[in-house]
Amino acid sequence: MRLVIQHETAYRYSAPSHYSIQQLRLTPRPEPHQRVLAWRIDAPGRLRRFTDAYGNVAHTLVLTAPHDSIRVLVAGTVEIEAPQGSLANFGPDSGAQSDLSPLVFTVATPLTEAEETVRAFAANHLRQKARAEDFLGLAEAICGAVEYETGITEVTSTAAHALEFGRGVCQDHAHLFIACCRAREVPARYVSGYVDPGHEEEAASHAWADVWVEGEGWVSVDITHRVLARDRHCRLAIGRDYLSAAPVRGVRTGGGDESLHVEVSVRSSQ
């Protein structure tokens, strides 16, 4: 499967900002099953490329002259192979740039803390020694408990908050899935990227999760769509939660009020 992707992120400020720094994780990961055929990032300044601790390709953008907007545009084509067999299995060597132990992804973060309600939910919907199929059952339970609705939660919303509120987006589904896995001592990591939604939905940046299954390796689960992530999913970054895998994160001085416009196009080209 070839995915043709365009992603525009545009900030506008009500007053000039005097300094901005952003980290961009907007380049597909170097993974065995996906290959970048063409990719470019257009930004209003010089980009410094580096590889972070999780093996993600990242860029730093620094603007020191006064500015009232920032526009970042990425575009390219990625070729993605379907995993062999029935599982979306990315194996123990997936993301060869990083040799981190799966145990790194058993540590809770503020966004994935397993509070009492989350621990109880995990105990009801996930066995201690789960198989790959059990994690699809967990995804079904999460989507039943947290209805998909945009504009309800923030990027700082926690897994416990999403479960209590009963509404959220793909980021909330991923955080709750990860929190449940870690509550059962199963390594799980956050994935940011793109998905070709077909003709039924508008394209958007997406989030899902990898879970470590003993004897099988990393299995990738799209919680929101209740499926294993396969050749319609382009992986940008992994991390312990959204904050370490966000496509765009930054800070600024000045600028007044901020407005954000995001537009994503993903289409398949076989």
Coordinates of all heavy atoms in Angstrom, one line a residue, residues 98 129 213 263:
S98 N 16.2 2.1 17.8 CA 16.1 2.2 19.3 C 16.2 0.7 19.8 O 15.5 -0.2 19.3 CB 14.8 2.8 19.7 OG 14.6 2.7 21.1
K129 N -2.4 -12.7 31.7 CA -1.6 -13.3 30.6 C -2.4 -13.2 29.3 O -3.0 -14.2 28.9 CB -1.2 -14.7 31.0 CG -0.4 -14.8 32.2 CD 1.0 -14.2 32.0 CE 1.9 -14.4 33.3 NZ 3.2 -13.8 33.1
V213 N 3.4 -8.6 23.3 CA 2.9 -9.9 23.6 C 4.0 -10.9 23.6 O 4.8 -11.0 22.6 CB 1.8 -10.3 22.5 CG1 1.3 -11.6 22.8 CG2 0.7 -9.2 22.4
E263 N -5.0 20.7 8.8 CA -5.7 20.1 7.7 C -4.8 18.9 7.2 O -3.6 19.0 7.0 CB -5.9 21.1 6.5 CG -6.7 20.5 5.4 CD -7.1 21.6 4.4 OE1 -7.0 22.8 4.7 OE2 -7.4 21.2 3.2

